[in-house]
Amino acid sequence: MPRILLAEDDDSLRGFLTRALERAGYEVTACADGEEAQAVLEQNWDLLLTDIVMPGVDGIELARQAAARHPGLRIMFITGFAAVALAAGDQGPPGSKVLSKPIHLREIVSEVERMVAA
């Protein structure tokens, strides 16, 4: 079962994403922020799904740390800020994908399926 590390500071969105991805057959570890996700980065993950704008450690820094520990890790950013989304495309690890909120859960699950299968 593919393993996803999810970092999202919005409680309700984190819950929705976790349930949707688990229903799609993924094992999800959901973290409330980047610092909580840092604590489990040493584990093996198939995908990091992270919000960009979070208190403390933001998603871009989290992704850099994850990519350094796990070369080839698939990384997907989600954000509600268009300017941040543009910057993430330049600042994120190579091959990372950026999705802008609002986004339908089906679309996220489809994108995750594509990235994990790649």
Side-chain angles (χ1 to χ4, degrees), residues 1-6 21 25-29 40-49 70 73-74 112 116:
M1 180 180 318
R3 297 186 71 221
I4 297 174
L5 176 57
L6 169 64
L21 292 167
Y26 298 98
E27 179 184 330
V28 179
T29 297
V40 295
L41 274 183
E42 62 278 348
Q43 296 178 29
N44 289 323
W45 304 104
D46 295 292
L47 176 80
L48 169 64
L49 176 58
H70 304 284
L73 176 69
R74 291 164 183 89
V112 165
V116 169

Side-chain angles (χ1 to χ4, degrees), residues 62-84:
L62 177 63
R64 286 185 184 144
Q65 291 176 21
R69 289 184 185 181
H70 304 284
L73 176 69
R74 291 164 183 89
I75 298 170
M76 185 181 301
F77 296 106
I78 49 178
T79 185
F81 302 95
V84 173

Side-chain angles (χ1 to χ4, degrees), residues 62 68 106 111:
L62 177 63
R106 283 185 308 243
E111 289 295 333

Side-chain angles (χ1 to χ4, degrees), residues 54-116:
M54 295 184 289
V57 176
D58 68 22
I60 293 173
E61 180 57 29
L62 177 63
R64 286 185 184 144
Q65 291 176 21
R69 289 184 185 181
H70 304 284
L73 176 69
R74 291 164 183 89
I75 298 170
M76 185 181 301
F77 296 106
I78 49 178
T79 185
F81 302 95
V84 173
L86 293 173
D90 294 333
Q91 298 174 14
S96 57
K97 182 162 186 69
V98 181
L99 299 176
S100 295
K101 297 176 190 173
I103 188 165
H104 293 286
L105 290 177
R106 283 185 308 243
E107 186 178 349
I108 290 178
V109 171
S110 293
E111 289 295 333
V112 165
E113 289 171 348
R114 278 194 277 279
M115 287 195 78
V116 169

Side-chain angles (χ1 to χ4, degrees), residues 2-21:
R3 297 186 71 221
I4 297 174
L5 176 57
L6 169 64
E8 169 60 61
D9 62 329
D10 180 287
D11 293 340
S12 60
L13 181 55
R14 187 173 60 253
F16 289 136
L17 288 171
T18 299
R19 286 188 296 280
L21 292 167

